[in-house]
Amino acid sequence: MTDSNNLGSLRDALEESVERFALIADAMPQLVWLARPDGRFEYFNRRWNEYTGLTVESANAAYGASKGVVHPDDLPGMWERWSGALASGQNYECEYRLRRAGTESYRWFIARAAPVRDERGAIVRWVGTCTDVDEQRRAREGLAFTARADEALFTSFDLKRTFADFCSLIVSELADVAIVALADVDGSLRPVATAHRDPQSAAVLAGMRGQRILTPEAEQREWLRLRDGRPRVIRHFDVEAGRKQLWPYLASAIAPMRAHASVTIPLESRGATLGGLYIFYGTTAFDPRDVPLLRDAARRASIAIENARSFERERRIAETFQRAALPLVLAQPVGMHVDAIFQAGSDEVEIGGDWYDTVLLRDGSLLVGIGDVMGRGLQAASIMARIRQMISVAALYEPDPSRILATVDELVRQAVPDLLVTAFCGIIDANRTLLRYANAGHRPPLMRRSGEIIELKSTGLPLGVRDAGPSETATAKLEGMDLLVLYTDGLVECRTAIRGGEERLHEAMRSDAILHTHAPAEFIRDSCVLEGRSDDVAILTVRFDAPTGWAFTAENAQAANDARGDFVRYLRANAGDRDAIEAAELVFGELIGNVVRHARGAIDVQLEWCGEGALLHVIDRGPAFASIGGLPSDLLSEGGRGLFIARQLSNRLAVEHIGAYGNHVTAALRLHRLRQVE
């Protein structure tokens, strides 16, 4: 019998007698109620009393609120519809969750009510039912959740982006916190994606991504639990106990979680444990019925991991082939620093045609080139290798960049008709004072001079059609020039970007940090390349100086110690004040120690002489941090103390956060360079 028929039967029974109505209502599986014309209740059947624990008196006392009975998220909609029905006299219908008495468990009900009218048509009361539709509702929502999870997990092979969307979905529909942690190459368990309902807490958790958050003992215990293969449910989560499992400097990250329950689902594939899915409930009530849904989602996530890794293996093979067609060693003329990087597109397995090259010519000048063969696949890669070689050989006999490109254009049109290739060819003279260049439809390179970004424009059609339009060799003076950047269009083209790629590139080049890293091409890539980029990226940079510097990783303590020793030996040979050298060594140690405590990955250290003084530059890959003016409130705390000491031993100390890259700390050391040393 449908709810409509039930309401009709109840209304008929009510017209016959109240006693008959009560008898039928108590025999029904639904929750049955009567309300007066103003909406206040006057009767509940036995099933209502058993499920909600409310009597007519207690329900009317809380009328207008119903807190603790109807789910808080459903209250506004329920009262809006009920008030509308009372005002219009139309039938009432609404779905909401009701809490079972004595528990924190809610179930979905569909409430329907119809007015009972007298012979004049006036409403004398309302008769209503609440029918349990929890299973149907959860099945429907489960199917919808699974569909959205599949969309998040299987639209991209980029695991970081995939799991970021996946965690956001879980947080929006089921829980307060979601974390996916996977095994790293060193066997450690590291979060790759996090999400939290509260934006401020989400930002704190985001700082844990990629870090080894558990102590070795806790990590070992966690791996044993994950390898057990069964979901782990903690109904009363102890935040303090959870804090003790983390490294001390990360313990504060768990505080915003405010969790009262947690679920851990192992991520497994083909008998191997890949990691874990961690779900925490804070303001959201834990529902045991979420566990099967999360377990199914975890199985799908494991498949996504395998798919992504399979794709990555295929792409690595393709990328290895493409890298083999690029120069193995870059020419490094005296007084210059040449750097380059290539990165394959994030969503493509096929090989592309991006390339770069440098050749030191017989007269001491330097050929720099970059280009992109239109299309993808083995043919594009093989053509790319041939064109790169053609330009290198032509430059040995032809000093004019425009004629070099014209020669290659003729060879291309003969060998591969209908092919289009964009290319830039430049020659830096032996005195490093002049750049002569020509362009074949490629993006103009950029130069930095005294913080200003200059675009090197010139005319010329792509190779393959170059004879159909004008071409020229242009020149640029290199006096005062800091940096030359050549790049392919994958660096600045991204369909999902809010800010333009060229704007991001100019911003990265204006940063002083780019002049003080040993890998400016990598700096540009990491500052500019966004998720969602599908095209290959090639970058070639030329610095017009040879800086004094050291590069190592935060995890390599021996390399950091060796760099500190080299730094001191260099200062003893180039600076005269012993006390100032000792102070500079302390600044060096404190700044490196600060990075090691808060970041992982590459560290760049460079010493720049400015007049008679010196600037120490330290660039890391960690999250943003602030430079405090005084000592931390907790004098035993490691946080902030190192920067305070470095500030006291320097003339000034500045901290710059560099977008998606990291941080740049500059300390003005109290050093004077020996005049006899150049």
Side-chain angles (χ1 to χ4, degrees):
M1 184 180 292
T2 65
D3 285 352
S4 299
N5 291 335
N6 284 337
L7 283 175
S9 299
L10 287 169
R11 195 157 45 184
D12 292 343
L14 186 60
E15 290 177 356
E16 184 176 333
S17 71
V18 174
E19 291 77 12
R20 178 171 173 74
F21 170 84
L23 185 65
I24 294 175
D26 282 340
M28 293 176 65
Q30 289 107 325
L31 315 185
V32 180
W33 47 272
L34 292 176
R36 297 195 293 265
D38 63 0
R40 293 185 177 275
F41 300 107
E42 60 179 17
Y43 169 83
F44 292 143
N45 72 341
R46 178 171 47 81
R47 177 79 176 123
W48 173 281
N49 292 327
E50 291 172 352
Y51 184 85
T52 67
L54 287 179
T55 63
V56 170
E57 291 75 18
S58 60
N60 283 331
Y63 187 79
S66 296
K67 292 181 180 177
V69 180
V70 178
H71 194 284
D73 293 346
D74 305 332
L75 265 175
M78 184 212 65
W79 282 116
E80 182 180 357
R81 292 200 179 191
W82 181 228
S83 300
L86 292 175
S88 67
Q90 300 296 314
N91 286 359
Y92 163 71
E93 183 174 313
C94 185
E95 283 192 36
Y96 49 74
R97 285 162 287 183
L98 289 175
R99 184 173 60 84
R100 184 185 294 276
T103 72
E104 293 300 320
S105 174
Y106 287 85
R107 293 182 67 85
W108 281 99
F109 286 80
I110 182 167
R112 292 189 174 97
V116 178
R117 301 177 184 273
D118 60 18
E119 61 276 4
R120 293 175 307 213
I123 297 175
V124 294
R125 59 170 55 91
W126 290 79
V127 57
T129 61
C130 294
T131 304
D132 190 325
V133 293
D134 194 72
E135 296 302 326
Q136 300 94 308
R137 175 79 182 227
R138 291 190 67 84
R140 188 168 70 245
E141 290 181 345
L143 288 173
F145 175 82
T146 299
R148 287 189 286 273
D150 283 350
E151 183 179 357
L153 291 169
F154 299 113
T155 50
S156 170
F157 291 115
D158 184 335
L159 282 181
K160 289 183 179 179
R161 185 172 65 183
T162 291
F163 283 125
D165 293 342
F166 181 57
C167 288
S168 296
L169 173 67
I170 292 173
V171 163
S172 67
E173 300 200 15
L174 297 178
D176 291 272
V177 180
I179 300 172
V180 172
L182 299 180
D184 202 7
V185 290
D186 61 0
S188 61
L189 192 64
R190 299 176 188 262
V192 297
T194 61
H196 196 297
R197 287 202 175 192
D198 174 58
Q200 287 186 326
S201 300
V204 175
L205 285 182
M208 298 169 60
R209 295 174 194 162
Q211 300 197 53
R212 189 172 188 175
I213 62 174
L214 298 175
T215 63
E217 298 80 9
E219 188 172 75
Q220 186 176 17
R221 290 193 298 269
E222 185 59 24
W223 273 121
L224 289 174
R225 297 188 191 106
L226 290 173
R227 289 177 182 133
D228 178 70
R230 292 176 294 181
R232 186 168 77 253
V233 177
I234 301 177
R235 293 178 177 270
H236 302 287
F237 181 76
D238 186 342
V239 174
E240 188 57 37
R243 192 195 309 272
K244 292 177 181 177
Q245 311 302 309
L246 305 179
W247 290 101
Y249 75 94
L250 287 173
S252 60
I254 200 174
M257 290 167 57
R258 297 185 293 274
H260 63 76
S262 70
V263 177
T264 302
I265 312 286
L267 298 173
E268 302 171 306
S269 179
R270 301 177 185 177
T273 302
L274 308 175
L277 171 62
Y278 298 85
I279 310 298
F280 297 89
Y281 295 82
T283 57
T284 304
F286 167 66
D287 191 329
R289 291 169 296 180
D290 288 347
V291 177
L293 195 62
L294 290 169
R295 194 170 189 179
D296 181 65
R299 280 195 292 266
R300 295 169 186 272
S302 298
I303 295 171
I305 294 171
E306 281 299 306
N307 289 347
R309 290 179 174 175
S310 175
F311 169 85
E312 187 60 32
R313 284 191 292 271
E314 293 179 29
R315 191 177 69 170
R316 198 176 298 122
I317 294 170
E319 190 173 335
T320 300
F321 183 93
Q322 187 163 1
R323 288 184 186 280
L326 294 170
L328 297 177
V329 179
L330 295 170
Q332 296 287 352
V334 176
M336 301 173 68
H337 175 69
V338 181
D339 185 41
I341 196 167
F342 169 80
Q343 181 171 310
S346 59
D347 294 325
E348 297 285 349
V349 174
E350 285 192 306
I351 307 168
D354 291 27
W355 58 272
Y356 56 80
D357 202 3
T358 61
V359 178
L360 189 60
L361 303 176
R362 285 188 288 261
D363 64 352
S365 59
L366 179 70
L367 169 74
V368 293
I370 197 164
D372 184 6
V373 178
M374 300 301 177
R376 301 190 68 83
L378 285 171
Q379 184 182 23
S382 61
I383 292 172
M384 171 265 287
R386 291 169 62 187
I387 289 176
R388 184 176 69 82
Q389 292 169 354
M390 288 179 191
I391 292 177
S392 299
V393 172
L396 295 175
Y397 304 97
E398 175 55 67
D400 185 278
S402 181
R403 289 202 291 268
I404 291 173
L405 292 179
T407 301
V408 175
D409 172 69
E410 185 175 349
L411 294 172
V412 166
R413 285 187 286 113
Q414 291 177 4
V416 191
D418 302 323
L419 179 71
L420 285 181
V421 180
T422 67
F424 174 89
C425 176
I427 296 178
I428 300 172
D429 71 348
N431 297 322
R432 315 301 180 229
T433 59
L434 188 70
L435 169 68
R436 291 176 295 118
Y437 62 92
N439 202 325
H442 198 76
R443 283 189 173 271
L446 301 175
M447 299 188 81
R448 168 175 166 152
R449 178 191 283 126
S450 302
E452 180 186 1
I453 309 304
I454 303 165
E455 190 176 79
L456 300 182
K457 296 182 178 180
S458 64
T459 59
L461 293 174
L463 303 181
V465 294
R466 189 169 177 79
D467 63 329
S471 60
E472 64 177 8
T473 292
T475 61
K477 293 182 179 180
L478 299 181
E479 183 181 357
M481 204 65 67
D482 299 315
L483 183 70
L484 170 66
V485 177
L486 287 65
Y487 62 96
T488 57
D489 54 12
L491 179 66
V492 294
E493 293 180 355
C494 180
R495 294 185 298 273
T496 61
I498 297 175
R499 287 194 305 145
E502 292 183 1
E503 181 184 348
R504 294 193 303 275
L505 175 56
H506 281 233
E507 183 178 311
M509 288 187 63
R510 279 193 292 267
S511 170
D512 285 341
I514 197 171
L515 302 180
H516 305 291
T517 172
H518 77 287
E522 180 181 327
F523 179 95
I524 291 172
R525 181 202 62 184
D526 292 350
S527 299
C528 299
V529 173
L530 303 179
E531 295 179 356
R533 173 197 53 81
S534 59
D535 200 4
D536 297 343
V537 172
I539 306 169
L540 176 69
T541 64
V542 181
R543 281 248 303 273
F544 296 94
D545 60 4
T548 301
W550 301 265
F552 48 90
T553 63
E555 293 83 0
N556 192 335
Q558 184 60 51
N561 191 57
D562 291 345
R564 181 170 179 166
D566 288 344
F567 174 75
V568 173
R569 283 189 290 273
Y570 174 83
L571 291 185
R572 286 172 180 167
N574 291 274
D577 189 331
R578 182 174 178 178
D579 291 340
I581 292 173
E582 290 179 354
E585 181 183 4
L586 281 173
V587 172
F588 184 104
E590 292 298 339
L591 293 182
I592 299 305
N594 181 69
V595 173
V596 170
R597 282 191 296 272
H598 297 98
R600 63 191 295 255
I603 301 175
D604 275 306
V605 182
Q606 284 195 7
L607 188 68
E608 176 190 12
W609 291 102
C610 300
E612 293 298 310
L615 296 177
L616 180 65
H617 301 272
V618 177
I619 301 171
D620 66 55
R621 305 303 308 274
F625 63 88
S627 172
I628 60 175
L631 279 170
S633 55
D634 180 2
L635 295 181
L636 298 178
S637 169
E638 291 293 328
R641 190 175 62 181
L643 287 178
F644 174 79
I645 294 173
R647 181 184 294 278
Q648 297 306 304
L649 295 174
S650 307
N651 288 329
R652 63 178 177 86
L653 187 128
V655 177
E656 173 196 11
H657 181 62
I658 317 158
Y661 188 84
N663 302 285
H664 174 206
V665 180
T666 305
L669 303 177
R670 296 165 184 169
L671 290 170
H672 295 282
R673 193 175 190 182
L674 295 175
R675 294 185 181 278
Q676 66 269 27
V677 178
E678 295 183 359

